Amino acid sequence: MGRVRIAVATVTSSALVSTVLACAPAPHVVETTLTVTSTQTVTSTAPPPPPSAAQRVPDDLRAKVASLMVVGVANYDQARFALDQGAGGLFIPSWADPALLVEPGRDINALRAEYDRPFSVAVDFEGGRVQRHTQVFGQWMPPRALAGQPDEVIQGSGYDIGRSLRERGVNVDYAPLLDLDVTGLNIIGDRSFGAEPGDVARVGGLFSQGLIDAGVTPTFKHFPGHGRATGDTHLTLATTPPLDVLEGSDMQPYAEVLPSRPTASVMMGHMIVPGLGGGDVPSSLNPEAYRILREGDYPGGEPFDGVIVTDDLSGMRGITDYRPTPESVRDAIAAGADQALWSSGEDLVAIIDLVTSAAADGTIAPERIDAAAVRTQQQLIDVGL
């Protein structure tokens, strides 16, 4: 019987065995090789990069203006109304219904799930006299007492407060206060970390770093310094010593903490500062106050490109005795504020319309609105929103 040889061909896509039987009087071998080639192209695409702060800014002028508004809301329905108008931020005042923080389906976290755009939520939480909704967020010692603790306790307190706030949907804390307690002004008192600029900067920096580590934006206040004012701006128009006095003392904590905390924000106070621009204009409406902070034009200062938010434009006589809230909002944004805050939340639609008209007719420069809108979006990106 003749010999049989099996030849196996190597193929690209599948194994193919070809057998050829040879039958002949003499031994004989026949080899047949068949090659099958299969070509497959696999395309892999990386996910697109997330939009930048500038790309997240609305194109529509009115929507862009609305994104600069931070308004007080007392309950879920008010919060939804504000967001429906395009408000870029909510403020939780002391009189808000705690359900806004804790009721499933009707709290801040539910709103974040419902709306397909990011927004900020802020609260005043310093510890001591100024800590809102402690039944939800917990209680912490006054800043003055905290200043005497070890560094790890100071930073840890900021972190613990930040974790508590963020759990309930809050991403901005209007703290810490950098005002110096140098004249015994009651509104400052134990809310201040102390009287020495260096000490205040050190403690404020540690506390704010704890907030940042917890995913919360700290807000240094009240620039350019409330500690030497003639009164409480909640109750009255108040004046500070001349600018050169503040430059050598009250403004020094900002010079020390801002360069290393670029994602923080700064709250502009309502104090009237002699020598700061022309006339007796509260800092929150004074373009020169914003300029020196933005450019770092004070001893030791460096340019600051973070968010500048006004102090409350509706609940403090230091500003309401000077100008009605709608006009204050307009003029603060024109002067350099990135966010206008008013705790009452009243007249939101009319105020948006007023500022939009001012931007449309050139009373407020278009680049002023654009720059503010980009900064507010960048702040949200910095905390992962």
Side-chain angles (χ1 to χ4, degrees):
M1 183 175 178
R3 296 174 59 197
V4 177
R5 184 173 177 180
I6 301 175
V8 180
T10 301
V11 299
T12 302
S13 63
S14 62
L16 174 64
V17 178
S18 173
T19 62
V20 180
L21 301 179
C23 298
H28 188 73
V29 176
V30 178
E31 293 186 3
T32 301
T33 302
L34 177 63
T35 301
V36 178
T37 302
S38 174
T39 302
Q40 182 178 4
T41 302
V42 178
T43 303
S44 177
T45 58
S52 67
Q55 291 170 329
R56 287 167 47 152
V57 172
D59 292 327
D60 177 73
L61 177 59
R62 190 177 192 280
K64 193 182 302 184
V65 167
S67 74
L68 312 183
M69 308 301 167
V70 180
V71 295
V73 293
N75 54 53
Y76 175 80
D77 292 332
Q78 288 184 11
R80 288 193 82 253
F81 176 81
L83 293 174
D84 286 344
Q85 308 315 306
L90 308 178
F91 173 64
I92 311 298
S94 58
W95 57 87
D97 183 351
L100 182 57
L101 300 168
V102 298
E103 184 177 344
R106 290 178 61 83
D107 59 3
I108 295 298
N109 286 324
L111 290 169
R112 291 205 184 280
E114 178 180 352
Y115 287 82
D116 62 357
R117 64 178 179 86
F119 55 90
S120 68
V121 179
V123 69
D124 275 320
F125 208 99
E126 304 169 6
R129 282 189 282 165
V130 181
Q131 48 185 338
R132 312 305 187 195
H133 303 285
T134 55
Q135 74 276 35
V136 175
F137 298 130
Q139 289 186 301
W140 274 265
M141 69 183 76
R144 178 64 55 78
L146 182 64
Q149 302 300 314
D151 289 1
E152 59 270 21
V153 174
I154 298 170
Q155 187 165 334
S157 293
Y159 180 77
D160 290 343
I161 290 172
R163 284 287 301 273
S164 183
L165 299 181
R166 191 62 191 259
E167 180 183 1
R168 299 299 181 182
V170 176
N171 68 285
V172 177
D173 188 4
Y174 290 148
L177 184 141
L178 296 186
D179 296 323
L180 308 180
D181 183 27
V182 288
T183 65
L185 188 63
N186 183 61
I187 190 58
I188 304 301
D190 64 357
R191 296 173 61 197
S192 169
F193 293 124
E196 294 298 324
D199 293 339
V200 170
R202 181 184 67 83
V203 180
L206 289 166
F207 181 86
S208 64
Q209 189 60 53
L211 290 172
I212 292 169
D213 293 343
V216 171
T217 299
T219 306
F220 299 115
K221 61 185 186 184
H222 305 82
F223 192 86
H226 195 301
R228 300 175 195 271
T230 55
D232 176 0
T233 52
H234 291 87
L235 306 175
T236 185
L237 290 165
T239 303
T240 70
L243 178 61
D244 59 349
V245 175
L246 299 189
E247 288 179 331
S249 54
D250 300 66
M251 294 163 67
Q252 286 308 294
Y254 296 91
E256 295 190 38
V257 302
L258 289 181
S260 58
R261 308 296 188 289
T263 62
S265 56
V266 173
M267 178 175 283
M268 188 66 73
H270 297 317
M271 304 77 61
I272 296 169
V273 182
L276 184 64
D280 294 335
V281 181
S283 299
S284 53
L285 307 183
N286 190 332
E288 183 66 6
Y290 293 95
R291 186 197 67 78
I292 63 172
L293 176 56
R294 195 62 77 195
E295 297 180 7
D297 187 18
Y298 55 99
E302 294 185 13
F304 175 68
D305 196 39
V307 167
I308 305 176
V309 58
T310 69
D311 206 344
D312 186 2
L313 295 169
S314 66
M316 304 176 67
R317 293 190 62 180
I319 192 70
T320 57
D321 283 355
Y322 183 86
R323 191 158 295 168
T325 298
E327 286 79 4
S328 290
V329 171
R330 177 198 61 201
D331 295 348
I333 291 174
D338 301 306
Q339 292 180 324
L341 162 69
W342 69 103
S343 63
S344 72
E346 294 177 351
D347 301 320
L348 174 59
V349 174
I351 289 175
I352 293 173
D353 288 342
L354 177 68
V355 179
T356 301
S357 294
D361 68 17
T363 301
I364 301 177
E367 56 268 25
R368 172 81 277 282
I369 300 293
D370 291 341
V374 170
R375 289 192 187 100
T376 59
Q377 291 300 320
Q378 185 60 54
Q379 184 184 81
L380 291 165
I381 291 173
D382 290 338
V383 293
L385 293 174

